[in-house]
Amino acid sequence: MKKIISVVGARPNFMKVAPIHRAFLKYKDKVNHLICHTGQHYDEKMSKVFFEDLEMPHPDFYLGVGSGSHAEQTAKVMIEFEKILLAEKPELIIVVGDVNSTIACTLVASKLNIKTAHVEAGLRSFDRTMPEEINRLLTDAISDYLFVSEESGLINLKKEGVDENKIFFVGNVMIDSLIHHLAKSESSNVLKEFDLEPGKFVLVTLHRPSNVDSEDFAKELLHLFNTISEKRKILFPVHPRTKKNFFNFGFKAENDRILLTDPIGYIDFLSLTKNAELIITDSGGIQEESTYLGVQCITVRDNTERPVTVSAGTNHLVGTDLKEVKNVALNILNGNKKKGKIPHLWDGKTAQRIAEILVKKIT
Ligand code: UD1
């Protein structure tokens, strides 16, 4: 029996590991698949609710590292994860995405000569001021198996001179979760709860430090919300970092068509994504989920590491000038919508492909 440990740390990781765990159940006679939660995200609404919604088992290991500076958080994960690896001696670890837990655990495993697989490899924003870009570059540089979600990932890894035998184009594992839970999201009450009409509201999420640490951005956002709310209701689930900053900047809803709320669980958020007329976000994952669902998405960033969502999907990469965001948003709400298509291999079977490849490699 071979042991594999998958790592989750922050909110966007949970929906990527859930289908991988399910896929390995098919090989239970050969592989013991365990889950390690670093505790990078720890609030009930940022973490626990996702385990419940995604029907994931309790993590086998919980490192409880919590918040801190990048160095502190990364270092704490490394110290605690090394203890787990020394005690458990797994054959392989699996990391997903680009958060601090991803690079921290990859680095530890690699120094202990334990094989590592990176799911969502090869994505590049080419913006090294983003901590996630550093995490992506370093994780890919030392991982043994690189699972790629879109064609740009293949191109980037080849350009970086990565051995082609390490690279596998398998599709998007997060879309596996979306497809698996879509039917369940139909029975969510979240639209009723906020009194929202399907296809007639704007959903907003913003959490990138480059946006939400700026007081000017918060003020501009208020103007944008006031303008959009004349046409549509706005629902804005507020990330803890955004809440802390915006509270200090005096940000508040100035009319009853602007709805601010706590972070929302996976199933309810899926229902909101599917039914929104427009999403305004700086998240990575939401660019992909909206593309799969054919929902218009404005990305409030200057770059994206997921370019297929712009070239094939319904994502509009607009930049961080909120006046420009307003122009594009009003244009979309006036009916000028982009038609998109679903990228190659975003078919709900990515985790099965990953499990099949890894089982062959290690057994
Ligand atoms: C992290 C990831 C980012 C991902 C995002 C999704 C890194 C470098 N960044 O950013 O890629 O898109 O998660 O949410 O790994 N906090 C809480 N409760 C929690 C978690 C965090 O209150 O459960 C607070 C922390 O105290 C901190 C802030 O939120 O002040 C930021 O948390 P952190 O995990 O450092 O980074 P994120 O901005 O969430």
Side-chain angles (χ1 to χ4, degrees):
M1 184 70 99
K2 305 285 182 175
K3 197 184 280 178
I4 298 180
I5 300 181
S6 283
V7 176
V8 291
R11 185 167 64 174
N13 294 159
F14 305 125
M15 48 287 231
K16 294 170 192 166
V17 168
I20 293 175
H21 184 73
R22 254 196 324 277
F24 276 115
L25 293 178
K26 205 175 127 191
Y27 303 97
K28 342 198 239 293
D29 51 330
K30 292 182 181 162
V31 168
N32 183 15
H33 180 257
L34 303 171
I35 296 175
C36 176
H37 186 344
T38 66
Q40 178 177 343
H41 283 176
Y42 44 88
D43 281 357
E44 164 119 16
K45 288 183 169 133
M46 296 294 284
S47 170
K48 189 161 169 259
V49 64
F50 285 83
F51 273 80
E52 289 160 7
D53 274 4
L54 294 160
E55 295 155 23
M56 277 219 274
H58 279 292
D60 301 278
F61 314 100
Y62 185 74
L63 307 183
V65 302
S67 303
S69 70
H70 283 272
E72 276 168 349
Q73 199 173 53
T74 310
K76 278 194 211 156
V77 174
M78 289 181 69
I79 291 168
E80 296 307 316
F81 192 59
E82 185 177 54
K83 294 176 194 163
I84 305 286
L85 292 188
L86 289 173
E88 295 294 324
K89 303 191 171 41
E91 201 71 29
L92 169 83
I93 71 149
I94 301 177
V95 295
V96 297
D98 56 18
V99 302
N100 287 338
S101 301
T102 308
I103 175 59
C105 294
T106 309
L107 195 48
V108 173
S110 161
K111 294 263 181 95
L112 292 173
N113 291 321
I114 294 170
K115 294 262 185 258
T116 59
H118 183 208
V119 174
E120 212 182 72
L123 296 182
R124 298 289 180 263
S125 67
F126 303 102
D127 173 3
R128 292 201 182 184
T129 65
M130 270 178 95
E132 293 83 355
E133 182 72 353
I134 307 297
N135 295 343
R136 290 181 203 115
L137 281 160
L138 299 183
T139 301
D140 286 342
I142 55 176
S143 291
D144 299 282
Y145 308 110
L146 298 167
F147 293 106
V148 171
S149 57
E150 62 163 85
E151 210 178 345
S152 73
L154 282 181
I155 297 168
N156 295 333
L157 291 173
K158 282 183 194 160
K159 269 196 200 144
E160 286 168 22
V162 176
D163 176 355
E164 288 191 20
N165 294 318
K166 289 175 156 188
I167 308 174
F168 306 89
F169 187 11
V170 289
N172 190 325
V173 80
M174 195 184 59
I175 300 301
D176 288 12
S177 269
L178 188 158
I179 293 171
H180 189 78
H181 293 285
L182 202 52
K184 198 155 106 192
S185 78
E186 307 278 338
S187 49
S188 156
N189 279 325
V190 71
L191 298 183
K192 273 202 201 105
E193 196 186 314
F194 291 103
D195 194 21
L196 297 169
E197 232 185 292
K200 287 265 172 290
F201 66 93
V202 177
L203 178 65
V204 179
T205 83
L206 294 163
H207 75 279
R208 297 227 160 261
S210 52
N211 286 332
V212 304
D213 291 358
S214 148
E215 188 162 357
D216 287 345
F217 184 88
K219 283 191 183 135
E220 290 283 325
L221 189 66
L222 210 49
H223 286 303
L224 175 72
F225 277 14
N226 285 335
T227 310
I228 292 180
S229 65
E230 287 169 17
K231 289 184 150 274
R232 299 287 188 275
K233 276 193 180 172
I234 299 172
L235 180 66
F236 182 20
V238 189
H239 185 278
R241 171 186 206 104
T242 313
K243 187 173 173 182
K244 205 165 23 179
N245 287 342
F246 278 25
F247 184 77
N248 290 333
F249 302 151
F251 183 93
K252 59 180 188 321
E254 290 190 338
N255 68 60
D256 62 4
R257 290 166 61 80
I258 302 172
L259 310 167
L260 307 184
T261 184
D262 283 337
I264 288 178
Y266 183 75
I267 300 291
D268 287 341
F269 196 80
L270 186 50
S271 170
L272 291 168
T273 307
K274 178 162 179 263
N275 287 294
E277 182 174 8
L278 166 65
I279 303 176
I280 300 177
T281 190
D282 59 9
S283 146
I286 295 171
Q287 297 174 52
E288 299 183 329
E289 289 164 330
S290 55
T291 272
Y292 181 83
L293 294 166
V295 172
Q296 303 298 304
C297 177
I298 290 180
T299 297
V300 188
R301 287 174 44 188
D302 294 323
N303 49 57
T304 178
E305 62 286 342
R306 299 157 211 270
V308 76
T309 60
V310 178
S311 60
T314 45
N315 189 17
H316 306 249
L317 184 64
V318 173
T320 58
D321 176 356
L322 293 180
K323 289 190 198 75
E324 188 51 27
V325 171
K326 183 175 84 181
N327 294 338
V328 178
L330 292 179
N331 193 33
I332 291 170
L333 296 176
N334 282 332
N336 295 313
K337 302 206 162 94
K338 184 174 171 187
K339 257 194 141 67
K341 60 172 201 269
I342 295 174
H344 185 46
L345 294 181
W346 292 20
D347 59 359
K349 296 186 181 127
T350 297
Q352 290 172 33
R353 288 189 274 270
I354 292 172
E356 198 184 323
I357 293 167
L358 288 177
V359 168
K360 269 197 204 132
K361 293 278 177 198
I362 66 165
T363 58

